[in-house]
Amino acid sequence: MPQRSVVGALVVRARAGDQGAWDVLVERYAPMLWSICRDQGLDRRDIDDVAQYVWMRAVEHLGRLRDPDKIGAWLATTTKHECLRVRRARRKQDHSEQLLDVAMTMDDRTTTIEQVVEDAERDAVLRAAFARLSPDCRRLLGLLMKEMPYHEICRRLGMAMGSVGPTRARCLARLRADAALVALMRADLESREGEHHV
């Protein structure tokens, strides 16, 4: 049986749960991911999202890689595919926003006193729900709202690169499940449905 390369050995160790081996792989290949994303014309925020997605996929597929020595090629290919997907999604979003801007009238943009009050109430409920989250969730979501790059968030919070996305999803799920926030969203929905029936 041929001897594994250093990279192949790191993959095998990471598969077995060696966090140090995983960290070395991330450090080794993160610049390559960023370089590919920049070549594809992505901005900083999209690059962070793509890198996060690719590392999550790597965690999921680590045990299924037929040739651990070729993880670099797998990461590069997965990154290119995700960059293309993000660029297509961004173009669709930009097109939709342009259509929405054209369709808006001055009356639509006029803010009424009722809207200001509703917005203030909604913000207050959201802030209260956010305050009820665990300190770890508040810190993570707070840094994400500042559009801080994932690698900086990981450094500040002592998190592994691949755990930011799943942790963010869990924190947002807890936020959405907050009873006061659920009641507010239900009231908004009922109000909109009532307007349609008038």
Side-chain angles (χ1 to χ4, degrees), residues 142-156:
L143 293 175
L144 286 166
M145 282 188 284
K146 292 178 183 175
E147 299 186 5
M148 188 173 291
Y150 283 166
H151 64 86
E152 179 61 18
I153 292 173
C154 292
R155 188 187 67 75
R156 287 195 182 196

Side-chain angles (χ1 to χ4, degrees), residues 158-169:
M159 297 176 72
M161 180 69 85
S163 65
V164 174
T167 306
R168 173 183 63 180

Side-chain angles (χ1 to χ4, degrees), residues 55-74:
W55 289 120
M56 282 172 39
R57 296 282 290 167
V59 169
E60 293 167 3
H61 284 77
L62 213 56
R64 285 180 259 169
L65 284 175
R66 277 188 233 126
D67 186 352
D69 292 335
K70 294 194 175 160
I71 188 166
W74 184 90

Side-chain angles (χ1 to χ4, degrees), residues 43-196:
D43 62 24
R44 185 70 177 260
R45 186 167 185 175
D46 284 340
I47 290 174
D48 283 336
D49 287 341
V50 168
Q52 180 70 20
Y53 171 84
V54 171
W55 289 120
M56 282 172 39
R57 296 282 290 167
V59 169
E60 293 167 3
H61 284 77
L62 213 56
R64 285 180 259 169
L65 284 175
R66 277 188 233 126
D67 186 352
D69 292 335
K70 294 194 175 160
I71 188 166
W74 184 90
L75 287 168
T77 302
T78 305
T79 302
K80 284 177 188 171
H81 287 307
E82 182 61 9
C83 285
L84 290 172
R85 188 195 68 74
V86 167
R87 283 173 54 202
R88 280 195 298 268
R90 182 69 67 211
R91 279 198 297 269
K92 283 182 185 174
Q93 179 185 351
D94 290 346
H95 181 64
S96 298
E97 287 173 358
Q98 286 170 1
L99 291 175
L100 186 62
D101 287 344
V102 169
M104 284 179 70
T105 63
M106 286 304 292
D107 287 343
D108 293 330
R109 282 178 282 204
T110 304
T111 304
T112 64
I113 293 173
E114 290 83 9
Q115 286 172 321
V116 171
V117 172
E118 284 174 12
D119 290 345
E121 289 172 350
R122 189 176 294 110
D123 289 347
V125 171
L126 184 57
R127 277 196 301 273
F130 187 85
R132 286 189 285 274
L133 289 172
S134 69
D136 288 344
C137 278
R138 289 200 305 270
R139 278 194 294 272
L140 175 60
L141 294 178
L143 293 175
L144 286 166
M145 282 188 284
K146 292 178 183 175
E147 299 186 5
M148 188 173 291
Y150 283 166
H151 64 86
E152 179 61 18
I153 292 173
C154 292
R155 188 187 67 75
R156 287 195 182 196
L157 301 182
M159 297 176 72
M161 180 69 85
S163 65
V164 174
T167 306
R168 173 183 63 180
R170 284 193 297 273
C171 291
L172 288 174
R174 288 185 197 124
L175 186 62
R176 288 188 200 102
D178 183 275
L181 206 52
V182 168
L184 177 69
M185 289 187 289
R186 190 175 294 129
D188 277 355
L189 183 61
E190 288 169 358
S191 172
R192 281 197 293 271
E193 286 174 350
E195 289 171 4
H196 289 310

